[in-house]
Amino acid sequence: MPADSAERETSRTPRTARGVQTRSRIVQSAARLFYVKGVSATTLDDVRTASGTSKSQLYNHFQDKAELIHAVIDVQAKIVLAREEDSLGRVRTLGGLRRWRNAVVQTCSLQGGAYGCTLGSMSIELSDSDEKSREALAAAFDTWQRLLAGALIRLRELGVLSADAKPDDLATGLLAALQGGYLLAQNGHNSRPMAVALDMALAHVESFARR
Amino acid sequence: MPADSAERETSRTPRTARGVQTRSRIVQSAARLFYVKGVSATTLDDVRTASGTSKSQLYNHFQDKAELIHAVIDVQAKIVLAREEDSLGRVRTLGGLRRWRNAVVQTCSLQGGAYGCTLGSMSIELSDSDEKSREALAAAFDTWQRLLAGALIRLRELGVLSADAKPDDLATGLLAALQGGYLLAQNGHNSRPMAVALDMALAHVESFARR
């Protein structure tokens, strides 16, 4: 994970264990609300109610909603990228890549397709209105794409994929298939479009398999 | 286009030419704001200001924001699907499919990747909170997928694609690549990820070309 996705120290970085706990409770509540309701549709009052914090506690930790949004992006990017790093870091065969696909489809299926990808949804809401959020999410997508490319480079080095496979483009295509799959699954409340989209992208990757 | 995406008659359907114009101005202004700022981030006051209408004029045409949202989805779906129907209806060769790809990438590129797909963005914001919007957008995505499948069925019938090509799944994969491409392009403010994603999907379609 890149150093710049680590949580930034600010003047409001809590100095006590209780402060750390309160801040974490606020971020977790906001993350859940942003994911289910959307960022713009969530008010700071919603976050206060969900986290059981007072107005003064909230403003003690976050100057405004923008600062809370950036903290949520940091936390969500860490969760998604840690999961992907773990899953993709172990890929050494085409079967391993299939297992990565099965895991993301299963997770999507468990919630009936709903909610989509936390990073993708925040990106669509924020990319044109909050440059700091866009940049933080772009860094996360960039890391995600590099994790996918890393797995494909490994497959090429191990001789599973042929030398003319282009890991960078294949990784971009896989990430787009995943994000488009999330979007159609969320809209249809059904994970099938994600499975179909990833299968199509994987079939293309597999067309570079060395015979 | 399915009959149910036609604008519904309501008790507030305007009866005068001026009423029709005012209603259309409100919907156009809302559509633009929803596209650029997002649905939740846009207030009815924003729409009033952008359309130069009074509160009583706005409420004369739309009972609440939900009704305005549904009118915008109707209009945007018609625009997108008319464009796609025109473009995909003419596809009779793999080159024709490439021209469809070139047109959507060029449009995305002209706005520097920004803003994404109007239907995809509204779907991510609304699918988990407004069932009526989700259903209207699902109908639009369904029509879009069938337009893509129709072009692929035609290519199979013309002998361009082989009999084992599955138009339905290929169409879902193409639509997911397009939507995922829009998302990454919007996030990166750069149309390249969309081009790469569509090229990967088209390469897979072309793997079914009859030799």
Side-chain angles (χ1 to χ4, degrees):
Chain A
M1 220 172 301
D4 67 356
S5 83
E7 214 159 290
R8 290 162 198 85
E9 287 260 328
T10 71
S11 58
R12 278 172 303 284
T13 300
R15 287 159 203 274
T16 65
R18 177 170 294 191
V20 170
Q21 273 176 8
T22 305
R23 187 183 190 282
S24 164
R25 204 165 68 235
I26 295 168
V27 172
Q28 295 301 327
S29 298
R32 183 79 198 149
L33 287 163
F34 291 174
Y35 185 48
V36 173
K37 287 185 66 169
V39 178
S40 299
T42 298
T43 66
L44 288 181
D45 275 345
D46 293 336
V47 176
R48 280 202 308 105
T49 304
S51 59
T53 45
S54 67
K55 210 167 225 172
S56 72
Q57 277 178 309
L58 186 66
Y59 284 106
N60 191 32
H61 291 284
F62 300 98
Q63 185 182 327
D64 52 24
K65 190 175 173 184
E67 199 173 301
L68 177 57
I69 291 170
H70 303 148
V72 169
I73 292 173
D74 271 354
V75 166
Q76 297 286 53
K78 273 185 199 157
I79 292 171
V80 170
L81 295 175
R83 181 197 72 202
E84 293 295 288
E85 190 166 12
D86 180 57
S87 171
L88 290 165
R90 288 183 280 122
V91 170
R92 272 167 185 76
T93 59
L94 291 172
L97 207 53
R98 285 257 150 219
R99 282 191 288 279
W100 165 79
R101 170 256 186 236
N102 292 345
V104 292
V105 172
Q106 185 185 53
T107 306
C108 179
S109 171
L110 282 174
Q111 52 203 30
Y115 308 129
C117 167
T118 166
L119 302 182
S121 300
M122 285 196 288
S123 172
I124 281 198
E125 269 207 78
L126 299 168
S127 285
D128 297 316
S129 57
D130 174 358
E131 183 61 14
K132 195 173 162 191
S133 290
R134 188 188 72 75
E135 283 173 11
L137 289 162
F141 281 126
D142 191 53
T143 303
W144 200 342
Q145 191 268 355
R146 280 188 284 115
L147 289 172
L148 282 160
L152 295 166
I153 289 169
R154 206 177 313 123
L155 292 181
R156 204 173 59 176
E157 284 171 356
L158 291 168
V160 175
L161 295 178
S162 70
D164 57 339
K166 290 182 178 146
D168 245 18
D169 284 355
L170 293 175
T172 298
L174 277 169
L175 188 54
L178 177 61
Q179 289 297 326
Y182 265 122
L183 189 148
L184 295 178
Q186 182 190 9
N187 179 256
H189 279 184
N190 180 337
S191 63
R192 189 173 178 275
M194 177 194 273
V196 172
L198 284 176
D199 285 344
M200 179 155 155
L202 285 182
H204 183 64
V205 170
E206 286 164 0
S207 74
F208 292 96
R210 281 184 62 188
R211 322 265 151 193
Chain B
M1 220 170 302
D4 68 355
S5 83
E7 212 159 291
R8 289 160 199 84
E9 287 258 329
T10 71
S11 58
R12 277 171 304 282
T13 301
R15 286 157 205 275
T16 65
R18 176 170 295 190
V20 171
Q21 274 177 9
T22 305
R23 188 184 188 282
S24 164
R25 204 166 69 236
I26 294 168
V27 173
Q28 296 301 327
S29 297
R32 181 81 198 147
L33 286 163
F34 290 174
Y35 185 47
V36 173
K37 286 185 68 170
V39 178
S40 300
T42 298
T43 65
L44 288 181
D45 275 345
D46 293 336
V47 176
R48 283 202 306 106
T49 304
S51 58
T53 45
S54 67
K55 209 167 226 171
S56 71
Q57 277 180 309
L58 186 67
Y59 284 105
N60 191 32
H61 290 284
F62 299 97
Q63 187 183 323
D64 51 22
K65 189 176 173 183
E67 199 172 303
L68 177 58
I69 291 171
H70 302 148
V72 168
I73 292 174
D74 271 355
V75 166
Q76 296 286 55
K78 273 186 197 155
I79 294 171
V80 170
L81 295 175
R83 180 196 74 201
E84 293 295 288
E85 191 167 11
D86 180 57
S87 171
L88 289 165
R90 289 184 279 122
V91 169
R92 270 165 187 75
T93 59
L94 290 173
L97 206 54
R98 285 254 151 223
R99 283 191 288 279
W100 164 80
R101 170 252 184 239
N102 292 346
V104 293
V105 171
Q106 185 186 53
T107 307
C108 179
S109 170
L110 283 174
Q111 51 203 32
Y115 308 130
C117 167
T118 166
L119 302 182
S121 300
M122 285 196 287
S123 173
I124 280 197
E125 268 205 80
L126 299 168
S127 285
D128 297 316
S129 57
D130 175 357
E131 183 60 15
K132 196 173 162 190
S133 291
R134 187 188 73 75
E135 284 174 11
L137 289 162
F141 282 126
D142 191 52
T143 304
W144 200 342
Q145 191 268 354
R146 281 188 285 115
L147 289 171
L148 282 160
L152 296 166
I153 289 170
R154 207 177 311 121
L155 292 181
R156 205 174 57 175
E157 285 171 356
L158 291 169
V160 175
L161 295 179
S162 70
D164 57 336
K166 291 184 177 143
D168 246 16
D169 284 355
L170 293 175
T172 299
L174 277 169
L175 187 55
L178 177 60
Q179 289 298 327
Y182 266 122
L183 189 148
L184 295 179
Q186 182 190 10
N187 179 255
H189 279 184
N190 180 339
S191 63
R192 188 172 180 276
M194 178 194 272
V196 171
L198 284 176
D199 285 344
M200 180 155 155
L202 285 181
H204 182 64
V205 170
E206 286 164 1
S207 74
F208 291 96
R210 281 183 63 188
R211 320 267 150 190

